Amino acid sequence: MSAPLQLSRLRVEQLRQFRQGFELANLQPGLNIFCGPNEAGKSSLVRAIRAAFFERHRSSAVGDLLPWGDSSAAPSVELDFAFDGHQYRLAKSFGKRPRCDLRIDARGLEGAEAEDHLAQLFGYGFASRGASKTEHWGIPGLLWVEQGTGQELREAAQHAREHLHGALQSQAERLGQGAAAQVAASGGDALLSELRAQRGELLTATGKPRAELEQAAQRVQALQQSLQDLDLQIARYREDVDRLAQLRSQHQRDEQERPWEQLQQQLLQAQQAQTALQQSEQQLGEARQRMNQLQNQQQLLQRQLQAFAEQERAATQREQALAQASEQLQRAQTGLAPAREQFTYSSAQVRQAQVQLQQARQAEAARQTRQQLEAAQHQQARMTEALQHAEAAQQRVAALRAPQAQQRPLTKADLDTLRKLDQRLRELSLQRQALATRLEFKLDAGQQLRLRQEGQAEAESLAGQGQVLLAAPGVLDLPGLGRLRITPGGQDLDGLEARWSEARAEHALAMERLGVQDLAEAESRFAAQQEASAQLKLAEQALALSAPQGLARLQQERADLQARLLALQDALAQQAAGEAATALGLAEAESALDAAQRLEEAARQQLGRLEQQHSAMEAQQLQAQRELELARAQLAEPGRLERQREHQQQWLAGEAELAAVAARIETLQASLERARPDIVQQDIARLQRSVQQLQQAHQELAVQIQLIEQSLQQAGAQGLDEQREQSAGDLARAQRRWLELRLRAAALDLLCRKLDGKRQASLARLQAPLQQHLQRYVQLLFPDARLDVDEALTPGLLQRGVESGDFEALSFGAREQLGLISRFAYADLLQEAGRPTLLILDDALVHSDAQRLAQMKRVIFDAAQRHQLLLFTCHPEDWRDLGVAQRSLR
């Protein structure tokens, strides 16, 4: 066995985020832990190691190594390591200045020669073109675990299978089992291959039918399906015969009953009713037209009667005009002296009326001033009341606004947020109570224990009987005995406790921000705030009603009104003296003055015109006499009275007929409203569709009967029974052939399994060293468990007590753990065969719970006693108990 591989130094420059040179020196032979947060460069260093070995220095497929945004850089990697008593230094650059130098002690290799030497030493290969892939990585691809790939083992083991078989062969030869190993590897394979080939003609590798056996089975299925189809056709033929009899009976019953004729009779009645309604509507239209004619006729007769009456009124007016003209003439003849006296008297009456009017105007002004004063006093009372209401409303608004200004308003969104936080805290509290460790105690009288939980400022005293829920680790003091540390189990509880603490802090912060003690207080405060807002709105509305333009404007209007009251009182005091001097009102005095002035003017004009009017009155009397004679001639016209009486009778008859037509219109309208023409129309449409549907169904039934008859005739001509008998014979022969092939396939399969079992036993002896290494680690993770190795040298069946399960069926975390264990076993096997082994774990086991992680640490520590192991992690707190100093990549 050669000395183990030891990597001592790693240096990178111009590689991803390492633009400047970065070096990891003094790497230890066993476990090396490198920690740093995300983006610190852990995966970049692992990629640098892979590139140093797997990528050709002249490869153009290493663009991912370039620093971000710098395509002109030349990424470089330097590695110092020792193996099998020799010191190695590998220096490789990519990009613009590609090179590869390898120093082995004092000897130097360059370029492809150096790369091929390392590939042979470590057990991997290169891609012929482009970037290196997983199928080229060999042993390092198996032992170097990239981030998130710990559970993916089968493909990597397949690519390293040749090297693993070589190591197993070496072990077998060293233990004197070389011949058995050769037999396990190749002896008897010719016979097994021949049997497998014969079996393969009939069955696939998974035992599914193939080729001739599949065709025989398909022919049996096809014939069975054909027989079932014939049986189905025969059954349908018989069903069609029965259905034809039913349809014929139904068609004959419809022919006899003819249900559509009854509906047609109902349709005819509905159509007759619709015709009658249409006639009524036509009569209603004619009646309305007759009413319009009568109304026009009555208007014409009314105008003619008014013309007769106008002639009579004109004659009367002419008689009055003649009498007046005669009277005026008589006055003109006898009234010259009285006219002069009347003019003198009227002038005196005008002067007296003017004095009375002046007195009446003073009295009216005093009365109006008094009315204005009374109105202003009433307005003052109303304004005083409104001002009192406005001031009270203003005080109410100020009183309601003061608490809101002093206290932070609580919005609906704040309340909803607090409700969600309170609900979340309650749910987490219930989950916390459900998952927390329940400590029940019952102490004797006078006995007392003290319990201190992490996160509590003071210890809790326990006395009497009760229980305590522990969600965090705690220490229980036992007086005189010591202390018990109680740690609630489960990673879920730690996470739940963190979420509960976070929710409680967030809940407390929200309540502190809102200034409340709990949700109930917030609900009450929000309700009170809503009530106060409603009250404030009502108060503001009351203030707006009392003082629409503001309280100051109302106060100013009141002051203006008081000044006006004082002015009106002064004016009333001055006008009161002339108020009692007259007994006439202003209108009466104005009327008296107007009458006096008219009399005076009339007397003046009368006196000046009496002589001229005398001749004019004579002419006027003569004109009135002629007009009266003309009007009397019109009244005395022959036939006028007869025409007037005839028009009067026609008008009375028209009124009677108009009333009768109006009554008929009302009767017709009421009848139409009761008959509901729209419903009758709906009945007609419904009955028409019903008749059409029944007749169509009857016709379709006849067509369906004809189709079934034709189908039965065709089926009878096909000879279904003869076809079924022939199909049954074909099926029997096909089944015999299928059974023969199936028995042969089963025999070959059984023989192959028996021979394969013997071969597997030989392989098990060959794989015993790998199984032994693997079992060593499995016992550290799962005591009393066994993990088998399959033919591909990968984990197979895991047995734990009475339970067992395939590796691929395990959870993600369990597969990752067993995948790492398997890699450690491969490393032990390869190291015993003299191959270099370097283990690299990039952020492994992040999906393991605390208990499994603790067990895996024992596995890792044990593997590090024989191999160099580089562990990169962003969770340094999880790896503090491995006995090595962590190295930060910051």
Side-chain angles (χ1 to χ4, degrees):
M1 182 176 66
S2 304
L5 172 71
Q6 180 184 347
L7 183 66
S8 59
R9 185 179 72 94
L10 166 64
R11 188 180 189 279
V12 296
E13 186 174 357
Q14 297 186 29
L15 189 143
R16 292 188 177 178
Q17 63 264 57
F18 298 110
R19 295 178 181 272
Q20 306 299 324
F22 179 80
E23 181 174 312
L24 289 176
N26 299 321
L27 301 183
Q28 300 303 308
L31 180 61
N32 296 266
I33 300 178
F34 305 99
C35 61
N38 292 328
E39 305 298 329
K42 301 183 299 299
S43 297
S44 295
L45 293 177
V46 175
R47 175 67 177 115
I49 296 174
R50 289 178 173 273
F53 288 100
F54 296 158
E55 305 294 349
R56 295 285 190 183
H57 65 288
R58 295 189 178 277
S59 174
S60 59
V62 290
D64 63 308
L65 299 179
L66 294 173
W68 296 303
D70 187 2
S71 59
S72 63
S76 65
V77 184
E78 290 186 7
L79 291 170
D80 290 351
F81 58 92
F83 176 67
D84 199 17
H86 299 284
Q87 295 294 326
Y88 293 80
R89 168 166 290 185
L90 172 63
K92 184 177 286 191
S93 297
F94 304 93
K96 299 297 184 181
R97 295 183 296 275
R99 67 181 182 85
C100 178
D101 295 329
L102 176 63
R103 300 293 299 177
I104 308 174
D105 297 332
R107 184 164 61 103
L109 299 176
E110 295 181 357
E113 182 182 6
E115 292 171 340
D116 293 338
H117 180 81
L118 290 176
Q120 182 177 6
L121 177 66
F122 278 84
Y124 63 88
F126 291 103
S128 58
R129 294 183 59 186
S132 178
K133 299 180 178 60
T134 56
E135 58 265 26
H136 307 120
W137 294 350
I139 293 176
L142 183 63
L143 303 183
W144 299 352
V145 182
E146 290 184 308
Q147 184 177 6
T149 63
Q151 76 287 350
E152 298 174 1
L153 182 63
R154 190 168 299 278
E155 183 179 1
Q158 178 65 29
H159 298 324
R161 189 171 184 272
E162 181 179 352
H163 301 285
L164 294 175
H165 271 292
L168 288 172
Q169 185 68 29
S170 176
Q171 282 286 81
E173 292 175 354
R174 185 170 61 86
L175 297 175
Q177 299 177 354
Q182 290 294 335
V183 172
S186 60
D189 283 351
L191 176 60
L192 183 58
S193 298
E194 176 63 24
L195 293 174
R196 284 178 176 173
Q198 295 180 16
R199 176 186 178 277
E201 294 176 357
L202 298 175
L203 298 175
T204 64
T206 58
K208 294 182 179 180
R210 192 208 303 263
E212 188 177 1
L213 179 59
E214 178 65 19
Q215 293 175 2
Q218 291 176 355
R219 175 166 175 76
V220 170
Q221 293 177 357
L223 290 172
Q224 288 176 342
Q225 183 64 42
S226 177
L227 189 61
Q228 291 176 2
D229 292 342
L230 287 173
D231 290 338
L232 182 60
Q233 291 179 20
I234 293 172
R236 287 178 180 173
Y237 177 85
R238 293 169 181 171
E239 290 176 358
D240 287 343
V241 171
D242 296 337
R243 178 165 175 77
L244 178 61
Q246 294 175 359
L247 293 179
R248 283 174 175 171
S249 175
Q250 182 179 353
H251 187 267
Q252 185 178 5
R253 185 169 60 253
D254 288 344
E255 282 288 343
Q256 294 174 356
E257 296 177 357
R258 304 182 69 82
W260 54 85
E261 292 182 351
Q262 182 180 0
L263 295 180
Q264 286 176 338
Q265 185 64 30
Q266 296 178 8
L267 175 60
L268 179 61
Q269 295 174 358
Q271 290 174 341
Q272 292 174 352
Q274 186 183 40
T275 302
L277 291 174
Q278 290 174 350
Q279 293 176 355
S280 298
E281 289 177 349
Q282 182 178 1
Q283 293 174 2
L284 178 61
E286 294 173 352
R288 287 174 176 169
Q289 184 177 4
R290 178 58 181 165
M291 175 176 280
N292 292 332
Q293 294 174 354
L294 289 173
Q295 288 175 346
N296 294 332
Q297 179 181 344
Q298 290 298 97
Q299 291 176 359
L300 178 61
L301 290 172
Q302 184 70 25
R303 286 195 296 270
Q304 292 176 350
L305 291 174
Q306 290 176 354
F308 286 125
E310 185 64 27
Q311 290 177 353
E312 295 174 356
R313 285 195 300 273
T316 303
Q317 289 176 355
R318 296 294 183 272
E319 291 176 355
Q320 293 175 355
L322 178 60
Q324 184 178 3
S326 300
E327 183 181 355
Q328 289 177 355
L329 178 60
Q330 184 65 30
R331 284 199 302 270
Q333 291 174 349
T334 60
L336 289 177
R340 291 189 184 95
E341 294 177 359
Q342 180 66 28
F343 177 71
T344 303
Y345 175 76
S346 61
S347 298
Q349 288 295 319
V350 168
R351 289 190 296 270
Q352 182 181 359
Q354 288 175 344
V355 174
Q356 291 178 346
L357 177 61
Q358 182 66 25
Q359 294 174 350
R361 284 175 175 172
Q362 292 179 354
E364 180 63 22
R367 187 182 63 80
Q368 291 179 356
T369 303
R370 185 177 292 105
Q371 289 179 351
Q372 292 176 2
L373 181 61
E374 291 176 355
Q377 289 174 346
H378 287 301
Q379 185 178 1
Q380 183 187 27
R382 291 195 303 271
M383 190 172 294
T384 301
E385 183 179 1
L387 184 60
Q388 292 175 354
H389 289 312
E391 291 174 346
Q394 179 69 26
Q395 294 175 359
R396 173 71 172 164
V397 170
L400 290 173
R401 285 178 177 170
Q404 295 186 3
Q406 296 174 0
Q407 191 177 36
R408 180 189 182 278
L410 185 64
T411 65
K412 183 65 167 54
D414 293 335
L415 187 61
D416 292 339
T417 300
L418 189 58
R419 287 171 178 164
K420 292 179 181 178
L421 292 174
D422 188 76
Q423 177 66 22
R424 180 167 176 259
L425 182 60
R426 286 200 304 269
E427 292 175 354
L428 291 174
S429 298
L430 293 175
Q431 296 176 14
R432 180 171 174 264
Q433 292 178 5
L435 295 178
T437 299
R438 188 180 305 274
L439 177 62
E440 296 183 356
F441 59 89
K442 183 176 182 181
L443 304 178
D444 296 336
Q447 298 298 322
Q448 185 175 3
L449 300 178
R450 295 182 65 81
L451 174 64
R452 179 187 299 274
Q453 298 187 49
E454 290 186 3
Q456 292 184 354
E458 298 181 357
E460 179 182 0
S461 296
L462 305 180
Q465 182 177 354
Q467 65 179 9
V468 177
L469 293 177
L470 297 177
V475 177
L476 182 65
D477 292 332
L478 303 176
L481 296 177
R483 294 181 177 84
L484 288 179
R485 177 174 177 82
I486 304 174
T487 303
Q491 186 177 4
D492 293 340
L493 183 59
D494 294 339
L496 179 61
E497 184 68 16
R499 293 194 300 273
W500 177 78
S501 299
E502 179 183 354
R504 184 175 64 175
E506 189 175 358
H507 184 268
L509 181 61
M511 290 194 297
E512 181 181 358
R513 178 174 58 83
L514 298 178
V516 296
Q517 296 296 326
D518 50 23
L519 178 61
E521 181 181 348
E523 298 273 7
S524 175
R525 177 175 154 190
F526 181 74
Q529 180 179 306
Q530 294 294 104
E531 178 66 22
S533 298
Q535 294 295 331
L536 177 59
K537 186 177 292 184
L538 292 175
E540 290 175 344
Q541 293 176 354
L543 178 60
L545 291 175
S546 302
Q549 299 179 348
L551 186 61
R553 178 65 179 274
L554 189 61
Q555 293 172 345
Q556 182 62 38
E557 290 178 354
R558 181 186 177 190
D560 295 342
L561 184 60
Q562 289 178 346
R564 186 182 175 208
L565 280 172
L566 293 176
L568 290 173
Q569 290 173 354
D570 294 340
L572 183 61
Q574 296 175 2
Q575 298 167 353
E579 185 177 6
T582 180
L584 297 178
L586 177 61
E588 186 179 358
E590 290 177 346
S591 177
L593 177 60
D594 183 64
Q597 288 176 342
R598 284 197 305 271
L599 289 175
E600 181 186 23
E601 181 65 21
R604 182 186 295 110
Q605 294 177 358
Q606 183 72 15
L607 183 62
R609 292 193 307 266
L610 279 179
E611 291 80 0
Q612 294 86 356
Q613 288 180 353
H614 183 267
S615 58
M617 291 302 171
E618 288 180 348
Q620 183 177 1
Q621 183 184 22
L622 183 60
Q623 179 66 24
Q625 183 66 36
R626 287 197 297 268
E627 291 179 355
L628 177 60
E629 290 176 356
L630 181 60
R632 287 176 177 174
Q634 290 179 348
L635 292 177
E637 182 182 358
R640 177 183 177 280
L641 293 177
E642 185 65 24
R643 289 196 305 274
Q644 185 177 8
R645 284 194 299 271
E646 182 180 354
H647 289 165
Q648 184 69 30
Q649 291 174 357
Q650 289 177 356
W651 185 82
L652 292 175
E655 286 295 313
E657 185 179 358
L658 189 64
V661 171
R664 178 170 175 75
I665 289 174
E666 184 177 359
T667 301
L668 290 173
Q669 286 179 338
S671 177
L672 287 173
E673 291 177 355
R674 289 192 301 271
R676 295 294 301 274
D678 56 337
I679 300 301
V680 173
Q681 180 64 31
Q682 292 179 5
D683 291 342
I684 292 174
R686 173 177 54 81
L687 292 171
Q688 285 177 342
R689 287 198 294 268
S690 299
V691 170
Q692 182 180 2
Q693 290 173 357
L694 288 175
Q695 291 177 344
Q696 183 177 359
H698 184 67
Q699 295 173 359
E700 290 177 353
L701 187 60
V703 172
Q704 190 174 3
I705 291 173
Q706 185 177 2
L707 292 176
I708 293 177
E709 289 175 347
Q710 294 176 358
S711 176
L712 291 176
Q713 291 175 2
Q714 294 176 359
Q718 292 176 356
L720 295 178
D721 292 331
E722 292 80 359
Q723 292 183 19
R724 189 189 186 287
E725 184 177 355
Q726 182 178 357
S727 295
D730 294 341
L731 176 60
R733 289 187 293 274
Q735 285 177 336
R736 286 195 297 272
R737 175 58 179 168
W738 174 64
L739 288 175
E740 292 173 357
L741 293 175
R742 192 175 64 171
L743 289 174
R744 175 177 172 79
L748 289 171
D749 183 62
L750 177 61
L751 186 57
C752 288
R753 283 190 284 107
K754 291 291 186 181
L755 293 176
D756 193 55
K758 296 294 184 179
R759 184 174 182 277
Q760 290 298 328
S762 299
L763 285 176
R765 290 193 297 272
L766 177 64
Q767 296 170 355
L770 177 59
Q771 183 70 54
Q772 182 179 0
H773 292 303
L774 183 62
Q775 192 63 24
R776 169 190 176 88
Y777 294 112
V778 170
Q779 290 297 317
L780 296 177
L781 181 63
F782 300 121
D784 300 328
R786 175 181 175 82
L787 179 63
D788 293 333
V789 178
D790 60 16
E791 186 176 352
L793 302 181
T794 56
L797 188 67
L798 176 65
Q799 297 179 350
R800 289 183 289 186
V802 296
E803 298 180 353
S804 63
D806 191 71
F807 172 80
E808 297 297 337
L810 299 176
S811 67
F812 184 94
R815 284 188 287 118
E816 183 183 31
Q817 296 153 15
L818 292 176
L820 294 183
I821 285 177
S822 300
R823 287 176 169 88
F824 297 160
Y826 296 147
D828 289 345
L829 179 65
L830 292 168
Q831 189 180 70
E832 290 178 352
R835 306 304 297 268
T837 56
L838 172 65
L839 294 168
I840 300 178
L841 306 181
D842 185 8
D843 261 340
L845 300 175
V846 294
H847 299 284
S848 299
D849 56 42
Q851 182 179 359
R852 289 282 183 85
L853 183 60
Q855 293 170 314
M856 284 301 298
K857 290 177 186 178
R858 299 174 63 188
V859 174
I860 292 174
F861 188 81
D862 182 66
Q865 305 305 308
R866 293 174 296 281
H867 310 280
Q868 186 178 38
L869 193 150
L870 307 183
L871 191 150
F872 296 85
T873 180
C874 60
H875 300 284
E877 66 278 2
D878 293 339
W879 305 96
R880 294 171 179 168
D881 54 352
L882 280 176
V884 297
Q886 298 182 3
R887 302 180 63 174
S888 175
L889 298 182
R890 287 185 178 274

